[in-house]
């Protein structure tokens, strides 16, 4: 029997587990999930908790997870990724950042793009990393980041159906009024809405899950 590759997944919210579990279901993979919503909560609510402390906490989490006999660690939270300083890690286990395959996909598009968020706290870190990625790859991009206001609290309150409907309605509005722009969603929690609109209107909405699946398929071939 072929030995499964054991992949640790670090999430900032429990809702991300289902997206990753469903997307990466494979006879060749065993996913182990670690969730810590507390770090993001402290960053946004505790004025005495500075960026240096947050970076230390991410390093501590990654090094602790690396001792769980895993072959790689997938980080699904873009804020965690932005805080991670790999030169400070005392582990050689590969770190897979969910946004990098997504960035590669986004940077392959030459038309004007709208990148949607629901969580305002993730915008600055994601856009900074995206612009850095595009610069390193020498890919000119024309991207406008937009936050769909007053929606992230719905997912945090467990109002998933209302969240999906609000996002779907917003995406359809852009498609109707700005037909020359490509649309992508930046967060895992937004994927269900993107897929819903794709199926209803026969359009392509970029999302981080599709590019992650392709990335893992290439990893399993190696």
């Amino acid at each position: 029997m072929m030995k499964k590759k054991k992949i640790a997944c670090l999430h900032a919210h429990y809702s991300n587990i289902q997206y990753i579990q469903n997307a990466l279901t494979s006879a060749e993979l065993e996913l182990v999930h670690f969730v810590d919503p507390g770090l993001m909560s402290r960053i946004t609510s505790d004025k005495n908790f500075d960026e240096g402390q947050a970076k230390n906490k991410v390093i501590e989490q990654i090094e602790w997870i690396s001792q769980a006999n895993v072959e790689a660690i997938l980080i699904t939270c873009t804020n965690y990724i932005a805080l991670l300083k790999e030169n400070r890690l005392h582990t050689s286990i590969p770190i897979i950042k969910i946004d990098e395959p997504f960035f590669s996909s986004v940077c392959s598009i030459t038309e004007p793009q709208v990148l949607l968020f629901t969580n305002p706290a993730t915008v600055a870190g994601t856009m900074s990393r995206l612009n850095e990625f595009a610069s390193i790859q020498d890919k000119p991009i024309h991207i406008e980041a937009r936050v769909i206001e007053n929606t992230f609290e719905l997912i945090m309150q467990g109002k998933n159906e209302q969240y999906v409907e609000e996002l779907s309605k917003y995406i359809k509005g852009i498609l109707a009024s700005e037909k020359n722009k490509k649309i992508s969603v930046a967060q895992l929690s937004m994927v269900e809405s993107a897929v819903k609109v794709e199926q209803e209107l026969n359009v392509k909405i970029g999302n981080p899950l599709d590019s992650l699946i392709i990335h893992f398929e290439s990893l399993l071939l190696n």
Side-chain angles (χ1 to χ4, degrees), residues 183-199:
I183 302 172
S184 295
V185 298
Q187 300 158 217
L188 279 182
S189 67
M190 305 173 76
V191 171
E192 186 176 347
S193 301
V195 171
K196 184 174 185 291
V197 174
E198 283 185 332
Q199 293 173 344

Side-chain angles (χ1 to χ4, degrees), residues 166-181:
E166 290 292 328
L167 269 58
S168 301
K169 184 166 63 175
Y170 189 94
I171 294 170
K172 288 175 181 177
I174 297 177
L175 289 170
S177 61
E178 302 176 61
K179 298 180 180 179
N180 65 321
K181 292 183 179 177

Side-chain angles (χ1 to χ4, degrees), residues 4-197:
K4 289 187 176 185
K5 291 187 176 182
K6 190 175 181 181
I7 309 294
C9 306
L10 175 59
H11 313 284
H13 193 267
Y14 295 95
S15 63
N16 283 350
I17 293 177
Q18 62 174 325
Y19 301 115
I20 296 299
Q21 194 67 46
N22 293 340
L24 301 181
T25 297
S26 168
E28 300 169 64
L29 289 177
E30 177 186 353
L31 304 179
V32 183
H33 299 281
F34 297 82
V35 185
D36 181 8
L39 178 57
M40 289 301 103
S41 176
R42 286 203 66 184
I43 289 173
T44 55
S45 64
D46 186 349
K47 293 179 181 178
N48 295 318
F49 190 72
D50 61 25
E51 186 174 302
Q53 292 173 292
K55 288 177 179 178
N56 289 340
K57 181 60 177 177
V58 173
I59 294 291
E60 178 186 314
Q61 288 174 317
I62 296 295
E63 292 187 343
W64 184 74
I65 291 170
S66 71
Q67 298 174 45
N69 192 29
V70 296
E71 295 183 49
I73 299 172
L74 168 65
I75 307 178
T76 67
C77 173
T78 51
N79 274 359
Y80 276 31
I81 294 167
L83 288 166
L84 178 61
K85 298 300 177 187
E86 289 181 82
N87 60 349
R88 291 178 51 197
L89 281 175
H90 296 98
T91 178
S92 58
I93 290 177
I95 307 294
I96 303 169
K97 302 167 184 175
I98 192 170
D99 57 6
E100 290 187 348
F102 179 54
F103 288 165
S104 181
S105 174
V106 167
C107 288
S108 69
I109 298 171
T110 56
E111 296 98 324
Q113 301 180 64
V114 177
L115 185 56
L116 297 175
F117 297 80
T118 58
N119 183 359
T122 66
V123 178
T126 300
M127 293 306 296
S128 174
R129 281 181 43 77
L130 173 55
N131 288 319
E132 181 182 8
F133 184 93
S135 177
I136 292 171
Q137 299 294 323
D138 196 23
K139 296 276 191 179
I141 53 174
H142 308 282
I143 296 181
E144 176 192 354
R146 292 187 197 173
V147 177
I148 307 176
E149 302 288 351
N150 305 317
T151 52
F152 190 64
E153 53 263 38
L154 295 174
I155 197 75
M156 298 302 287
Q157 294 166 5
K159 299 176 181 178
N160 293 4
E161 289 186 14
Q162 188 178 347
Y163 180 76
V164 169
E165 287 303 318
E166 290 292 328
L167 269 58
S168 301
K169 184 166 63 175
Y170 189 94
I171 294 170
K172 288 175 181 177
I174 297 177
L175 289 170
S177 61
E178 302 176 61
K179 298 180 180 179
N180 65 321
K181 292 183 179 177
K182 299 290 185 181
I183 302 172
S184 295
V185 298
Q187 300 158 217
L188 279 182
S189 67
M190 305 173 76
V191 171
E192 186 176 347
S193 301
V195 171
K196 184 174 185 291
V197 174

